[in-house]
Amino acid sequence: KPEDLVNGEGAVVNVNGKRAGAYKDEDGVVHIVDTTCTHLGCELEWNSGDCTWDCPCHGSRFSIKGDVIEGPAEKPLKRIDER
Ligand code: FES
């Protein structure tokens, strides 16, 4: 569960039966995004070294809040929750 993460940790989690990406920041706030890449829909993977969501298909990268860091994706990830 997202709440089980320790500060600074990210993981693919299950939120209401859907795959989602959660990251708990240093202040204990959990940022949850839809891990479906906004380019062509591949499932993103957590990159613990850089704290980013990376796409295995064509290399798009997103921040923990879902903003695009690197294309080809142009649209940010859907934000599911922040708590
Ligand atoms: Fe993610 Fe193309 S589907 S970069």
Side-chain angles (χ1 to χ4, degrees):
K1 281 188 295 176
E3 288 74 18
D4 296 336
L5 295 168
V6 298
N7 289 12
E9 185 184 29
V12 173
V13 296
N14 193 308
V15 176
N16 300 328
K18 276 192 66 180
R19 188 184 196 273
Y23 173 75
K24 189 184 254 186
D25 69 22
E26 299 301 339
D27 297 323
V29 179
V30 181
H31 306 266
I32 304 174
V33 295
D34 185 342
T35 49
T36 307
C37 183
T38 57
H39 180 226
L40 292 175
C42 288
E43 289 295 336
L44 304 174
E45 293 167 354
W46 176 242
N47 176 339
S48 58
D50 293 339
C51 279
T52 54
W53 292 103
D54 296 358
C55 185
C57 293
H58 317 100
S60 289
R61 303 178 68 210
F62 302 85
S63 78
I64 51 124
K65 293 189 173 184
D67 297 317
V68 177
I69 295 173
E70 211 171 299
E74 293 179 352
K75 288 188 190 163
L77 300 177
K78 194 172 140 213
R79 293 188 196 186
I80 295 176
D81 202 2
E82 206 162 83
R83 58 200 188 202

